[in-house]
Amino acid sequence: MKQVFLETFGCQMNVADTDRMELILFHSGYRRTQEKEDADLILVNTCSIREKAEQKTFSLFGGLKPLKTTNPDLILGLTGCMGQQDGEKMLKKMPYLDFVLGPDQVEGIEQAVNRVKESKKPFVWTGFDIEKKYSIPEISGDLPKKPSPSSFVNIIKGCDKFCTFCIVPFTRGREKSREPEELYQEIRHLIDHGAKEIILLGQNVNSYGKRGLKNPIPFHELLYKIAEIPGLERLRFTTSHPNDFTRETIRAYRDLDKLVNHLHLPIQSGNNDILKLMRRDHTVEEYQELIDELKSEVPDISLTTDIIVGFPGETDAQFRDTLKVMERIGYSSSFMFSYSPRPGTPASEFEDSVPLETKSKRLQEIIKLQNRLTQEQVQSYKGKTVEVLIEGGSSKPGYSFKGRNPQYWRVNLKGDEKKFQPGDIVQVNIEKTSGHSLSGLIQ
């Protein structure tokens, strides 16, 4: 039996792409291994959004080089956004690589592996799919593993926003949506095999339906249709853009019990001049108006966001505006970064005028603020009973399971392992809170 080792860096889209490659390879005779030394094929699915992810990739491949030297028949492949952006450079920097694939070549992973075996020559396979539609063909039969109780479904790929700091439109291409019937079929398949919660994925998920569909439907209508699928217990989506987050979607939060009360809506900066430089095409006031309306319809909504500090030209006063917005909105969690130029983006041509020391100081300040906001919210759960979807076993000593409540807080659970199992939705009395997590006893 052939074995494949898979490593993933980056967003949930990359996680979903890795799962797809695992499924295709499973049907061509590969089984996944957790040990690199046992593998016949090693695939690293990469991210180029942040410099840190790229550094981790190079570090990992440095450790893989000796395996290739010892076993020349071992096939090494690099996939994902780094491959799309710098395919030929990757081969020059790591000549022991056998192939480099871009994100649009996920479906061709079996052909890529066969090509290596036949030609014995390294190659780069990137470029964007010229088809105007986006489809993920069904592969019937067995699955390589049971779906997670919380499972991802790609509904749209690419992005048309071209924010000045972001490489995604250049590595993932323009927006294309999958046909709704294909999505319903995949979701039913996942539910039939044990999934309880579906997380809809896209670089700009609520732009769904604007391109690539024979019979276009807007994102909010898709939510209503998916919520009708029998067996579905919970529905989430990520990531949204403020420009495409509509009032109709807010109404969906109000109307659909299965659409859980959590929204990830990146603001990036709390200052309008910086937002304009970022080409975000929305103002702080417009963003806050959306949030206010959402909170009026769904008072217990949990909000998370992305924030960049130290963008070219950002002054101390503009940074303070971001702190004010964070305080006003009250995010439960944030993905926070200090700006680093990504090659190929418009912002990489801007003068990187904010000193590294200042960026670091600002980052630590927003982390401190977010930690305070998180602690204020997490403590409010102590003594309360919350609904939790059990996702798997807990690594926390003394606890049997882990899961999430509808607001996306991580929960560690105590309970009878003979009575409960992953996929169960249970009521949990919260006894302790710590950091970003809750801990309690299943009722």
Side-chain angles (χ1 to χ4, degrees):
M1 183 67 67
K2 295 175 290 185
Q3 298 192 77
V4 56
F5 177 87
L6 297 156
E7 184 72 61
T8 307
F9 297 105
C11 66
Q12 292 99 329
M13 292 286 285
N14 271 15
V15 173
D17 285 347
T18 297
D19 288 345
R20 182 64 178 174
M21 289 189 287
E22 181 183 2
L23 176 61
I24 293 169
L25 290 167
F26 173 80
H27 285 277
S28 64
Y30 283 89
R31 298 297 182 270
R32 189 167 188 171
T33 177
Q34 300 302 317
E35 304 297 331
K36 296 186 285 290
E37 293 77 10
D38 296 336
D40 302 285
L41 167 65
I42 295 179
L43 297 176
V44 181
N45 199 6
T46 63
C47 173
S48 60
I49 300 300
R50 308 290 175 199
E51 186 177 7
K52 188 175 181 180
E54 292 187 353
Q55 292 170 348
K56 287 182 178 180
T57 297
F58 288 127
S59 177
L60 175 60
F61 271 107
L64 296 177
K65 184 178 179 180
L67 295 179
K68 181 71 170 178
T69 303
T70 304
N71 178 17
D73 291 330
L74 172 65
I75 298 174
L76 295 182
L78 182 150
T79 67
C81 292
M82 279 182 68
Q84 183 68 43
Q85 185 178 359
D86 295 312
E88 295 293 345
K89 291 181 181 179
M90 293 296 102
L91 282 188
K92 290 179 180 178
K93 192 163 188 175
M94 297 179 288
Y96 47 90
L97 272 176
D98 290 295
F99 64 84
V100 175
L101 301 186
D104 267 11
Q105 281 66 50
V106 165
E107 294 294 325
I109 186 62
E110 183 180 4
Q111 295 96 302
V113 172
N114 290 337
R115 179 175 168 182
V116 170
K117 293 177 179 178
E118 293 168 2
S119 70
K120 306 294 183 181
K121 296 179 180 179
F123 65 90
V124 174
W125 185 9
T126 54
F128 294 118
D129 180 6
I130 60 174
E131 291 288 334
K132 293 184 178 180
K133 64 180 182 178
Y134 173 30
S135 178
I136 300 179
E138 180 187 11
I139 297 179
S140 59
D142 294 335
L143 295 172
K145 59 185 178 182
K146 184 179 180 180
S148 168
S150 181
S151 296
F152 296 126
V153 173
N154 285 340
I155 69 168
I156 181 174
K157 67 177 179 179
C159 185
D160 290 351
K161 290 294 183 282
F162 290 90
C163 300
T164 57
F165 57 82
C166 186
I167 197 66
V168 165
F170 306 100
T171 59
R172 291 274 181 174
R174 303 298 296 275
E175 291 174 356
K176 296 178 186 178
S177 299
R178 292 174 66 192
E179 291 294 336
E181 287 301 328
E182 184 177 288
L183 296 175
Y184 306 150
Q185 183 179 22
E186 180 178 349
I187 292 169
R188 285 192 292 265
H189 180 71
L190 289 168
I191 291 172
D192 289 344
H193 285 79
K196 300 293 185 180
E197 175 182 78
I198 296 297
I199 304 177
L200 307 178
L201 294 181
Q203 271 80 32
N204 182 13
V205 70
N206 47 8
S207 186
Y208 174 85
K210 294 184 178 180
R211 179 178 294 137
L213 296 183
K214 295 178 182 177
N215 301 300
I217 68 168
F219 178 63
H220 68 274
E221 288 188 16
L222 181 73
L223 295 175
Y224 283 91
K225 292 289 186 181
I226 291 175
E228 295 174 356
I229 295 177
L232 177 69
E233 298 288 345
R234 286 183 174 181
L235 180 60
R236 300 184 190 272
F237 58 85
T238 193
T239 290
S240 298
H241 192 289
N243 287 10
D244 296 308
F245 190 78
T246 64
R247 265 67 185 182
E248 289 84 0
T249 304
I250 292 176
R251 307 298 180 268
Y253 270 102
R254 179 195 65 193
D255 296 343
L256 300 175
D257 290 338
K258 293 180 181 180
L259 183 58
V260 295
N261 294 348
H262 169 253
L263 171 65
H264 185 75
L265 191 64
I267 189 170
Q268 304 297 358
S269 172
N271 178 268
N272 286 332
D273 290 334
I274 296 298
L275 289 176
K276 189 173 181 180
L277 285 173
M278 290 178 169
R279 200 185 290 154
R280 290 292 286 170
D281 296 332
H282 65 82
T283 65
V284 172
E285 292 75 20
E286 289 166 342
Y287 181 96
Q288 291 179 157
E289 185 179 343
L290 280 173
I291 296 300
D292 289 345
E293 186 169 344
L294 178 60
K295 284 183 174 181
S296 71
E297 296 284 5
V298 190
D300 64 341
I301 191 80
S302 173
L303 299 162
T304 56
T305 196
D306 296 346
I307 293 175
I308 298 172
V309 300
F311 193 77
E314 183 187 65
T315 65
D316 285 338
Q318 290 169 331
F319 168 67
R320 294 289 163 194
D321 287 341
T322 297
L323 296 176
K324 292 174 185 176
V325 169
M326 291 178 66
E327 189 88 55
R328 183 187 187 282
I329 300 295
Y331 297 109
S332 62
S333 180
S334 300
F335 293 98
M336 299 162 282
F337 310 93
S338 58
Y339 173 77
S340 61
R342 310 309 296 136
T345 61
S348 66
E349 303 297 322
F350 298 171
E351 181 184 356
D352 193 5
S353 57
V354 182
L356 188 61
E357 182 180 354
T358 302
K359 291 180 184 178
S360 179
K361 182 179 178 181
R362 290 176 184 174
L363 181 60
Q364 292 308 310
E365 192 166 352
I366 65 166
I367 290 174
K368 182 178 179 180
L369 171 58
Q370 183 58 66
N371 285 340
R372 176 172 65 78
L373 296 173
T374 300
Q375 288 308 304
E376 290 173 358
Q377 293 181 51
V378 76
Q379 289 172 11
S380 70
Y381 282 98
K382 192 170 183 179
K384 293 184 178 179
T385 299
V386 301
E387 179 190 273
V388 178
L389 170 63
I390 299 177
E391 297 178 354
S394 175
S395 60
K396 186 174 182 178
Y399 291 85
S400 306
F401 305 104
K402 66 180 180 181
R404 291 189 186 272
N405 73 346
Q407 286 77 19
Y408 211 59
W409 290 88
R410 171 67 68 193
V411 186
N412 291 290
L413 305 86
K414 293 179 181 178
D416 188 344
E417 294 182 34
K418 296 180 181 179
K419 183 178 179 181
F420 303 104
Q421 62 183 350
D424 289 344
I425 294 179
V426 295
Q427 298 297 315
V428 179
N429 181 43
I430 302 303
E431 300 172 331
K432 297 179 181 179
T433 63
S434 176
H436 291 73
S437 66
L438 314 171
S439 301
L441 179 66
I442 300 176
Q443 298 300 292

